[in-house]
Amino acid sequence: MSYFDAASSAPLHPVARQALHASLDEGWADPARLYREGRRARLLLDAAREAAAEAIGCRPDELVFTTSGTRAVHTGIAGALAGRHRVGRHLIVSAVEHSSVLHSAEAHRHAGGTVSEVPVLRTGAVSPAAYTDALRPDTALACLQSANHEVGTRQPVAAVAEACREAGVPLLVDAAQSLAWGPVEGGWSLLTGSAHKWGGPAGVGVLAVRKGVRYAAQGPADERESGRSPGFENIPAVVAAAASLRAVRAEAAAESVRLRELTDRIRARVPELVPDVEVVGDPVDRLPHLLTFSCLYVDGETLLHELDREGFSVSSGSSCTSSTLTPSHVLKAMGVLSEGNVRVSLPLATPAEEVERFLSVLPRTVAAVREKLGAPAAAVVTSTPAASPAPDELVVDALGRRCPIPVIELAKVITDVPLGGMVRVLSDDEAARLDIPAWCEMRNQEYVGEEPAPRGTAYVVRRTTP
């Protein structure tokens, strides 16, 4: 079985396993106590904090351990907003932040605060100029991930941090996906991370708050972790997290080059091997181990199941793999195809042979899924010549049918109208709002727009190419 979903959770690093086992016998006592067992536990905790702080690029007394990366985000945002409540209650986030950031933003909005969401380019990156324009005199905090968790695009953190510094606004960086590859550049104010993303154990997060940043811990007071992360520290897990971060950093330079070569090969070969594929995200300024592509006329959930049967564990941002039946907010913000979406994120030490096997399996797997759905089997869609003159307009009723059926039905009939003719696709699937315009761009047809309909929405397409 080939595990290609390190962006969700990386396999436990051997160093983490060794450190975890070794510290179980020494790190069980209360590190706040002065007796021998407590002192031993304190030494382990302090050493772990120093190692993690060195890797992150902050002082040990600026770093606390939390119970997860999500908890670190929630704690960091809440504390920073509270610390600057006299300045204002305006929060800035990007449209492609991790759900933990967006959930915090929504809670802030419900509590009476205001939130600005900065849009992204088609690559998934924010424009520093757009981020700068979002800053206001009442901005209490800005948030920007270091790299996107779904498409791998790196964000211009240094430029945004400089704009925030000039405006006197702290910047919180969610660095969960990038910490394995190096420290975050730029003058960030707060930073969060999650150990299981870099090969440490689950249940350990990190929160760094620079000295001088106004911060007010929320919730009942607690004497542990500078009052910022209540509860008894899981010292063995913390030790394993710090040890694994140091270990992956030692391997990062060589593995970054090797894994980038492998993901570059996938990026180049998939469109050659599989018709009607869009590779999304920045092709250059991205994480070395992660790439995402979307396949037209494919049910994402079925594709993932079929790849699993072939021995590959991958993930997806397709709406048809989600219980909510809505597209990934990241793909939606980028304005790219969401159906048949596959994210490949390679763990450290992934053999090149497994990547080659993936490339050999993918074409027939996609073709089989398309055949089951009755989708076009090739990039060129043809239709049977009509016995009578082609109508200038057709209506496709795809109400009640989920992705990728609305796009499949559109593809089947587009050549049944003359050049300049229109097709109206009736759909009540949220994914159609994203996938039909993306299909038009890929097939060189004109997306006219959407119109209200008695049920759902009418998506209007004009045929402009044969």
Side-chain angles (χ1 to χ4, degrees):
M1 191 74 181
S2 295
Y3 181 76
F4 286 0
D5 195 21
S8 291
S9 189
L12 192 66
H13 196 283
V15 169
R17 189 183 305 275
Q18 294 168 5
L20 182 64
H21 289 166
S23 57
L24 285 173
D25 290 334
E26 297 290 335
W28 53 268
D30 187 345
R33 302 307 174 194
L34 299 180
Y35 42 69
R36 180 177 55 188
E37 293 86 355
R39 294 196 304 272
R40 287 177 178 172
R42 169 57 64 181
L43 288 173
L44 288 174
L45 181 59
D46 289 346
R49 196 185 314 279
E50 290 177 6
E54 181 182 6
I56 289 169
C58 66
R59 292 169 35 165
D61 59 351
E62 295 174 331
L63 179 71
V64 298
F65 295 104
T66 65
T67 54
S68 68
T70 294
R71 174 55 60 190
V73 167
H74 292 172
T75 300
I77 291 177
L81 288 172
R84 285 174 49 83
H85 71 278
R86 288 191 176 92
V87 173
R89 303 196 65 194
H90 179 231
L91 171 66
I92 301 175
V93 299
S94 84
V96 295
E97 294 298 315
H98 187 268
S99 60
S100 59
V101 174
L102 298 182
H103 291 162
S104 285
E106 189 63 22
H108 179 62
R109 185 184 284 112
H110 285 163
T114 57
V115 180
S116 292
E117 193 172 275
V118 180
V120 296
L121 306 172
R122 193 172 175 84
T123 60
V126 301
S127 160
Y131 218 100
T132 301
D133 291 343
L135 293 166
R136 305 186 330 205
D138 65 335
T139 302
L141 178 67
C143 300
L144 181 64
Q145 60 190 191
S146 56
N148 187 260
H149 51 290
E150 288 194 26
V151 300
T153 299
R154 290 186 180 272
Q155 299 290 356
V157 172
V160 171
E162 178 60 23
C164 290
R165 186 194 64 79
E166 292 179 359
V169 174
L171 176 68
L172 182 147
V173 175
D174 170 18
Q177 289 296 335
S178 71
L179 276 179
W181 306 106
V184 176
E185 297 181 358
W188 51 266
S189 303
L190 301 94
L191 181 142
T192 64
S194 184
H196 75 102
K197 302 290 188 180
W198 67 64
V204 179
V206 293
L207 168 63
V209 182
R210 296 283 198 196
K211 293 295 182 183
V213 174
R214 291 182 180 177
Y215 187 93
Q218 300 300 286
D222 192 278
E223 69 276 9
R224 303 200 181 259
E225 294 299 294
S226 303
R228 295 173 181 173
S229 183
F232 196 91
E233 298 93 342
N234 184 348
I235 293 177
V238 164
V239 170
S244 58
L245 181 55
R246 175 178 284 182
V248 298
R249 282 290 184 79
E251 306 168 34
E255 276 294 276
S256 175
V257 172
R258 196 182 70 83
L259 293 181
R260 184 174 291 275
E261 290 176 352
L262 295 179
T263 54
D264 281 346
R265 177 158 178 75
I266 299 174
R267 289 181 66 92
R269 292 290 289 150
V270 166
E272 297 173 354
L273 297 168
V274 183
D276 296 313
V277 165
E278 181 179 16
V279 183
V280 302
D282 196 295
V284 177
D285 197 7
R286 61 179 177 85
L287 295 173
H289 71 304
L290 194 159
L291 78 145
T292 296
F293 58 88
S294 298
C295 307
L296 272 174
Y297 320 129
V298 169
D299 177 326
E301 184 171 6
T302 301
L303 179 57
L304 262 60
H305 284 318
E306 291 301 316
L307 287 171
D308 182 54
R309 290 175 56 154
E310 293 284 353
F312 293 97
S313 301
V314 297
S315 69
S316 173
S318 293
S319 61
C320 31
T321 63
S322 168
S323 59
T324 63
L325 295 177
T326 57
S328 148
H329 71 280
V330 172
L331 301 178
K332 186 175 181 179
M334 293 168 62
V336 298
L337 184 69
S338 75
E339 65 184 54
N341 177 263
V342 175
R343 181 184 69 180
V344 174
S345 48
L346 305 178
L348 299 176
T350 297
E353 294 77 15
E354 288 304 295
V355 169
E356 291 302 319
R357 191 169 73 86
F358 176 77
L359 291 172
S360 69
V361 163
L362 183 68
R364 69 170 184 268
T365 304
V366 173
V369 173
R370 286 173 172 168
E371 184 178 3
K372 288 179 182 178
L373 292 170
V380 177
V381 180
T382 59
S383 63
T384 303
S388 58
D392 290 334
E393 181 175 313
L394 286 175
V395 176
V396 173
D397 187 350
L399 293 168
R401 308 182 75 183
R402 300 300 176 187
C403 76
I405 301 302
V407 178
I408 289 176
E409 296 303 314
L410 168 61
K412 286 179 178 179
V413 304
I414 189 66
T415 55
D416 290 344
V417 298
L419 290 174
M422 313 281 274
V423 177
R424 280 177 165 78
V425 182
L426 303 179
S427 176
D428 51 6
D429 181 8
E430 178 65 22
R433 180 168 282 111
L434 184 62
D435 289 348
I436 290 177
W439 178 88
C440 290
E441 183 168 331
M442 294 176 70
R443 308 304 299 137
N444 295 317
Q445 307 294 351
E446 180 186 351
Y447 178 65
V448 177
E450 59 182 74
E451 298 175 351
R455 287 180 57 206
T457 302
Y459 299 94
V460 185
V461 177
R462 178 182 287 111
R463 182 185 177 194
T464 56
T465 58

